[in-house]
Amino acid sequence: MKLRELEAFDAFIRHGGTEKAAQSIGVGQPMVSRLLSSLEQRVGFALFERKRNRLLPTSEAILFHDTVAATLDRLRELEQEARDIANLQRGNIVIAAQPIFCDTFLLDVVAAFKRDHPQVGIRIVDVGLEDMLKMMAEHACHLGLGITLETDNTGTQVTPLARCEARCIMRVDHPLNTDGPIPLPRLRDEPFVELAAGSPLRTRVDSLMQSIGIRRTIAAEMRHLRGVCGLVERGTGVALIDPIAELLLDRKKVVSHPLVPSIEWEIALFTPTHRAPAAIVSAFANAIRTEIASLQSRGLVR
């Protein structure tokens, strides 16, 4: 069956005659008659009764029209969906991101993106770096947003967005809260609030501390930096954090200092190596870049 035959049949049933059907689909009346005759031959049963030079639909034709109408409606929906995708107004995006990003600037990215693309579905999955790379490998997400600590042989394309430098945070009334950076050896006897063992930042800090002979006292561990910052605010200890986590700090209670030596890494976009992203995914990636530029202008990242 040809699409034009089905459109002519649908128009005939809806309008009750070949003349109005022809007008509705923009062809001549003889063309409608030919399309209806061709369709009748294809279906293998009588669609019309011919009385006094008029076509009257059979009972079978009325039954058949229900399916034809539903099929044409679905085709129109597909056409609209294709237009929406082409205009970046339809689709579903899955973003795997590290929790600190989900708690901070990624919220602004989603809000801004949805204003311009209200029909696009977005699902944000907060995961650690290892799980994010696993999702990328299994094609379970369209974009990954993470850091470049310990990302060798990821099997993904890594695009750096900004450079980060770890910060040391403490309560404002802490004795180490003086002007200037904090030398790591000065933290020797301090209780630490830390991310759970295995996180890239925790691993880097542990290694660096061991290299300069500092054995730390871990007062508490949390899975997310939001919790780490909350415990520092309550005086549980000091912490070394991602600079993005400064967005979570109560500046009346907690201060942030650079470290000597510095601990640096990059925020990066992770994308599939062998598959170009859909246009709507690229649009979301551009929204991330715009927000990163805002963070850079505020001095949180470089």
Side-chain angles (χ1 to χ4, degrees):
M1 298 178 198
K2 296 182 179 180
L3 177 60
R4 204 57 171 157
E5 295 170 350
L6 296 177
E7 289 175 337
F9 176 67
D10 177 61
F12 175 84
I13 297 297
R14 292 180 186 276
H15 296 287
T18 56
E19 183 177 354
K20 290 184 177 179
Q23 293 173 355
S24 71
I25 64 174
V27 299
Q29 188 173 353
M31 175 59 74
V32 169
S33 296
R34 287 195 292 271
L35 290 169
L36 294 177
S37 178
S38 175
L39 178 63
E40 190 171 38
Q41 292 176 13
R42 293 181 190 278
V43 299
F45 57 84
L47 292 175
F48 311 104
E49 296 179 4
R50 292 161 176 81
K51 294 183 177 180
R52 298 179 182 177
N53 295 322
R54 290 189 59 198
L55 292 180
L56 300 176
T58 63
S59 297
E60 290 78 8
I62 299 301
L63 288 174
F64 183 53
H65 178 254
D66 290 340
T67 301
V68 170
T71 300
L72 291 175
D73 285 344
R74 180 56 184 148
L75 286 173
R76 294 184 188 104
E77 290 174 1
L78 289 174
E79 290 174 350
Q80 183 61 51
E81 186 168 347
R83 286 193 291 270
D84 288 343
I85 290 174
N87 294 325
L88 306 185
Q89 290 299 335
R90 184 68 65 89
N92 292 285
I93 307 173
V94 180
I95 311 298
Q98 295 186 248
I100 186 57
F101 302 152
C102 298
D103 286 340
T104 54
F105 75 91
L106 197 52
L107 301 177
D108 295 318
V109 173
V110 172
F113 186 82
K114 287 293 290 184
R115 286 194 290 269
D116 293 332
H117 307 86
Q119 301 304 315
V120 176
I122 300 173
R123 183 161 67 93
I124 306 295
V125 184
D126 65 318
V127 292
L129 183 61
E130 183 177 344
D131 287 335
M132 185 200 75
L133 295 175
K134 182 179 179 182
M135 288 183 68
M136 293 295 301
E138 295 176 350
H139 305 293
C141 63
H142 300 98
L143 280 178
L145 186 61
I147 63 177
T148 55
L149 287 173
E150 299 184 350
T151 55
D152 295 336
N153 301 316
T154 63
T156 61
Q157 181 173 330
V158 181
T159 304
L161 300 176
R163 192 144 192 89
C164 299
E165 186 175 324
R167 307 284 294 185
C168 179
I169 60 172
M170 61 193 69
R171 281 182 58 90
V172 294
D173 55 0
H174 195 285
L176 291 179
N177 182 21
T178 57
D179 292 338
I182 303 291
L184 281 174
R186 292 186 64 186
L187 298 173
R188 185 182 307 275
D189 299 321
E190 295 297 325
F192 275 80
V193 181
E194 272 291 358
L195 289 170
S199 74
L201 180 54
R202 169 71 181 273
T203 301
R204 175 65 68 85
V205 170
D206 286 345
S207 175
L208 188 57
M209 291 296 194
Q210 289 173 9
S211 71
I212 59 178
I214 295 179
R215 185 174 181 178
R216 294 184 298 156
T217 300
I218 307 300
E221 295 180 329
M222 297 287 290
R223 180 170 178 264
H224 293 168
L225 278 171
R226 179 180 288 277
V228 170
C229 294
L231 286 177
V232 171
E233 179 182 312
R234 290 162 175 79
T236 306
V238 302
L240 304 186
I241 65 165
D242 186 307
I244 300 298
E246 291 194 33
L247 295 169
L248 303 174
L249 300 181
D250 183 342
R251 292 296 185 173
K252 295 179 180 179
K253 298 179 180 179
V254 179
V255 292
S256 166
H257 292 274
L259 293 165
V260 180
S262 64
I263 304 172
E264 298 185 354
W265 62 89
E266 291 173 315
I267 300 175
L269 273 179
F270 294 77
T271 53
T273 302
H274 303 298
R275 186 178 73 250
I280 193 65
V281 175
S282 295
F284 192 87
N286 288 335
I288 292 175
R289 291 185 177 93
T290 298
E291 189 60 31
I292 290 291
S294 175
L295 296 178
Q296 289 172 323
S297 69
R298 295 159 64 181
L300 286 174
V301 296
R302 301 198 306 273

